[in-house]
Amino acid sequence: MNDKPKIWLSSPHMGEMEQAFVKEAFDTNWIAPLGPHVNDFEKDLCNYTGVKYAAALSSGTAAIHLALILLGISNGDNVLCQSMTFSASANPIIYQGATPVFIDSEGETWNMSPEFLEEAIISFLKKNAKPKAIIPVHLYGMPANMEVICEIGKKYNIPIIEDAAEAFGSNIGGKNCGTFGELNVLSFNGNKIITTSSGGALLSDDEKLIKKARFLATQARDNAPHYQHSNIGYNYRLSNVLAGIGRGQMLVLDKRVEQRRNNYQFYKQYFEEKNKKGYNIVLQPEPESCFSNRWLTAIIINPIQNKNITRETLRLALNKENIESRPLWKPMHQQPVFVEAPFFGDGTSERLFANGLCLPSGSNLTEKDFARITNAMDKVFK
Ligand SMILES: *Cc1c(COP(=O)(O)O)cnc(C)c1O
């Protein structure tokens, strides 16, 4: 049975030009964490998003870490972070010796609840411990309620680090994800909508911040003929070889968004048919004025409304056919490593995690792949 080729949740999907750009890096011997592809990739990121400045980095995690450093976050500070996310949104808070304060999801977007965000801020202000930053996330490409989150940030004068790692190509009313915060983060890890194998970027309209990010990301070398350092530096820059892959991927980003949105439409029709037969499977909603890149198609199966079928029933049935699916992100406030972190919420993210599943969503899935996926699911939803 498992001699069937694996269908992945989200696998890399190269276009036509990536190898030519990589070859150019080899031909010109720019095999270093700097070079013309890095500069041009940064320009591509600015042109696409509309943000003024970009620093190409070794990962999205590195971008979040640098964002916290640039905002001066250190020992004992509190940072407000969406609970329902990948651990990389929160880990850099710990790298800085700060405390993550986790905020629950809202039902509408599955992202940071503005209501609990404000409740947390008020509670910390009462203790005279004003939080130093807000990290909202766009889960599976679905934009968070940035209009209200940014308003709250302004009202209390707390900067926003927008974790747009999953949302490159998404927008709200035409304004791109990755342009809402003081500092904004993208990821080009192997499973993201476009990839450089590993890589990330920090975006901002503030030139000083991005210049400083580049400085810190290249070991914080002062201007001197010898190696001289007045700051602790990091080795966080993106390789020129990998930036070549990125330049090729930028040429197909809009196509990848379209392909992933088509995956969503396919699943939507499939589950609409099932729902006519007495099931109630819910897909991640796309609120009005939001445009999701549909990086992953995610569903909620509440067993009470689905003849006792759980997300695990479905996951195991797919797994049996060598098809990868995955529960939604387990909220950070439920992770053993973060048990002591404060949390503000009403259990929304816990419920989403209990019943949520991400389905195979690669832009390179074939009709044959979809036939295997629906055959496996048909066995569950008889
Ligand atoms: C992937 C991801 C990151 C981390 O990006 P890397 O490039 O893998 O370091 C951060 N936040 C979220 C929400 C992600 O999905």
Side-chain angles (χ1 to χ4, degrees):
M1 186 182 303
N2 282 345
D3 47 352
K4 286 179 197 151
K6 176 124 180 169
I7 296 177
W8 298 95
L9 192 68
S10 177
S11 71
H13 186 185
M14 292 296 111
E16 309 263 310
M17 289 301 293
E18 288 81 350
Q19 278 190 324
F21 284 120
V22 170
K23 184 171 184 301
E24 193 183 321
F26 275 68
D27 290 345
T28 54
N29 204 32
W30 278 106
I31 315 289
L34 80 168
H37 282 338
V38 174
N39 301 339
D40 287 338
F41 185 43
E42 288 176 345
K43 280 184 205 141
D44 291 344
L45 297 174
C46 292
N47 288 339
Y48 188 93
T49 57
V51 86
K52 285 195 187 134
Y53 305 97
L57 300 171
S58 56
S59 71
T61 311
I64 296 173
H65 190 196
L66 287 180
L68 293 167
I69 295 167
L70 290 168
L71 295 176
I73 285 149
S74 66
N75 251 341
D77 288 338
N78 295 301
V79 176
L80 305 157
C81 182
Q82 182 164 322
S83 184
M84 192 162 205
T85 183
F86 179 52
S87 63
S89 304
N91 284 338
I93 301 169
I94 304 289
Y95 304 166
Q96 284 309 100
T99 301
V101 176
F102 291 116
I103 309 296
D104 210 347
S105 293
E106 56 170 8
E108 201 184 8
T109 64
W110 302 2
N111 291 308
M112 181 180 270
S113 152
E115 190 188 326
F116 288 115
L117 172 66
E118 189 159 24
E119 191 181 306
I121 293 171
I122 290 168
S123 153
F124 274 84
L125 284 177
K126 275 187 195 145
K127 290 188 276 185
N128 212 6
K130 182 175 160 177
K132 291 282 174 68
I134 304 169
I135 308 181
V137 184
H138 311 299
L139 277 186
Y140 313 120
M142 187 61 62
N145 189 348
M146 293 310 288
E147 201 181 321
V148 180
I149 291 170
C150 290
E151 247 170 54
I152 293 172
K154 252 194 215 119
K155 180 172 168 189
Y156 294 97
N157 195 21
I158 303 173
I160 288 168
I161 300 171
E162 183 192 347
D163 182 350
E166 300 177 5
F168 197 19
S170 302
N171 70 69
I172 304 172
K175 183 171 164 60
N176 280 300
C177 289
T179 66
F180 286 90
E182 271 72 10
L183 287 154
N184 313 293
V185 171
L186 296 174
S187 166
F188 312 113
N189 199 1
N191 60 349
K192 296 300 188 329
I193 191 155
I194 63 164
T195 179
T196 59
S197 74
S198 62
L202 188 64
L203 315 180
S204 177
D205 284 333
D206 186 333
E207 185 176 19
K208 270 203 301 241
L209 288 178
I210 296 302
K211 273 197 170 151
K212 183 139 189 230
R214 292 198 189 109
F215 166 77
L216 292 172
T218 47
Q219 308 286 21
R221 297 197 298 253
D222 293 345
N223 197 4
H226 53 276
Y227 280 126
Q228 165 120 345
H229 305 274
S230 317
N231 288 273
I232 294 296
Y234 301 85
N235 186 4
Y236 277 174
R237 210 62 167 119
L238 184 67
S239 153
N240 191 63
V241 179
L242 302 188
I245 303 177
R247 291 193 65 199
Q249 288 272 276
M250 284 304 291
L251 299 173
V252 294
L253 173 56
D254 282 334
K255 216 156 130 192
R256 298 294 176 261
V257 172
E258 193 187 319
Q259 286 157 328
R260 299 228 179 204
R261 285 181 65 89
N262 288 343
N263 292 341
Y264 168 81
Q265 284 303 330
F266 177 90
Y267 284 120
K268 183 166 173 259
Q269 274 169 19
Y270 176 84
F271 288 117
E272 273 170 3
E273 284 310 308
K274 299 299 166 193
N275 286 351
K276 283 181 199 156
K277 294 177 188 154
Y279 294 99
N280 186 15
I281 298 133
V282 179
L283 289 99
Q284 186 177 22
E286 188 177 47
E288 214 180 317
S289 90
C290 284
F291 179 89
S292 169
N293 67 10
R294 293 287 183 191
W295 172 55
L296 298 184
T297 294
I299 57 169
I300 299 293
I301 316 172
N302 184 340
I304 296 164
Q305 298 164 3
N306 286 287
K307 310 179 187 181
N308 289 327
I309 295 167
T310 65
R311 66 128 150 93
E312 277 305 281
T313 323
L314 187 57
R315 190 184 68 78
L316 292 170
L318 289 164
N319 189 52
K320 213 167 141 193
E321 301 296 329
N322 211 17
I323 300 166
E324 186 185 27
S325 64
R326 192 179 294 147
L328 302 197
W329 299 128
K330 181 173 181 178
M332 290 304 115
H333 72 275
Q334 290 190 300
Q335 297 286 356
V337 73
F338 291 125
V339 278
E340 306 208 333
F343 169 70
F344 290 80
D346 63 2
T348 298
S349 60
E350 288 163 37
R351 285 190 294 275
L352 289 167
F353 169 63
N355 295 330
L357 192 70
C358 297
L359 297 170
S361 301
S363 47
N364 48 7
L365 290 174
T366 63
E367 265 176 47
K368 237 170 99 185
D369 292 333
F370 274 113
R372 278 179 58 199
I373 294 165
T374 51
N375 278 338
M377 294 200 295
D378 281 343
K379 288 179 192 157
V380 175
F381 304 108
K382 291 190 193 83

